[in-house]
Amino acid sequence: NISVEAMITAVADQKLEMIVQKTVSHDQMREFFRVDAATQVISKSFQPELFGKKETPWSMQGTTIDISGSGILAAFPEKVPMDEPIRLEITLPTEPPELVKVLAHPVRAVQIDDDRWEVAFHFDDISVEDRDKIIGFCLVIQRRLLRLKVHVRDIAK
């Protein structure tokens, strides 16, 4: 997926004619680097009673696919609601394990199998301490991958 910045040159019959000015990949728009990491995540409804909704609170357990300081990609057995804020509880597999709680919104959801949805979340409200925990965890994973790359390169020689 990419985003396009374009200039509209004409509008006719529900069509837009445009000239592309530039393209931007979503990777370029990220504030933080992202690492592959599988860990437990729980998504929960964000206090529907505060918004006057009569909905029953819900909770769903999933697994992260990748993580960064600004969001996660995670797999769930069902599609999460796409039009409301969601509370996420992410368990970082550190020693000892740390629980990070954030308020996020789903950016996109893709059905992979009958019982598997991949959902991308962007963090809307996260404490500085919790963001630092996630970034520290990402740096540990990144260092581990760099060591593995050097080790594999040395073996190949």
Side-chain angles (χ1 to χ4, degrees):
N1 293 335
I2 60 169
S3 295
V4 176
E5 184 178 307
M7 182 175 65
I8 298 173
T9 57
V11 178
D13 298 323
Q14 297 185 0
K15 288 187 203 174
L16 296 176
E17 290 183 24
M18 297 181 265
I19 298 173
V20 174
Q21 301 294 317
K22 74 177 180 182
T23 60
V24 179
S25 74
H26 294 277
D27 291 344
Q28 291 173 310
M29 295 171 48
R30 289 195 178 117
E31 297 174 52
F32 301 95
F33 66 95
R34 185 171 292 264
V35 297
D36 293 342
T39 188
Q40 179 181 331
V41 61
I42 298 173
S43 60
K44 295 182 175 185
S45 57
F46 178 67
Q47 302 170 330
E49 63 278 1
L50 290 182
F51 299 104
K53 295 182 180 178
K54 302 291 184 210
E55 298 173 9
T56 304
W58 59 269
S59 176
M60 192 180 329
Q61 186 168 332
T63 306
T64 62
I65 297 169
D66 62 36
I67 188 167
S68 78
S70 60
I72 62 169
L73 177 64
F76 292 97
E78 298 175 32
K79 185 178 180 183
V80 300
M82 296 297 291
D83 56 349
E84 61 185 57
I86 294 176
R87 291 183 298 150
L88 297 175
E89 295 179 359
I90 305 164
T91 303
L92 298 177
T94 55
E95 194 52 51
E98 295 185 86
L99 184 65
V100 174
K101 296 181 180 185
V102 302
L103 182 63
H105 71 273
V107 176
R108 70 179 180 283
V110 178
Q111 187 170 12
I112 304 301
D113 291 319
D114 289 341
D115 59 349
R116 182 175 158 100
W117 285 81
E118 286 187 359
V119 184
F121 292 94
H122 179 78
F123 300 152
D124 294 323
D125 187 16
I126 181 171
S127 70
V128 173
E129 295 82 11
D130 282 345
R131 190 181 312 270
D132 286 347
K133 288 177 189 177
I134 290 174
I135 292 170
F137 171 70
C138 290
L139 289 170
V140 167
I141 298 292
Q142 190 177 48
R143 278 194 305 267
R144 189 178 308 144
L145 292 173
L146 287 172
R147 270 191 243 121
L148 179 63
K149 184 177 179 181
V150 169
H151 180 67
V152 169
R153 186 180 297 158
D154 289 344
I155 290 173
K157 287 183 180 180

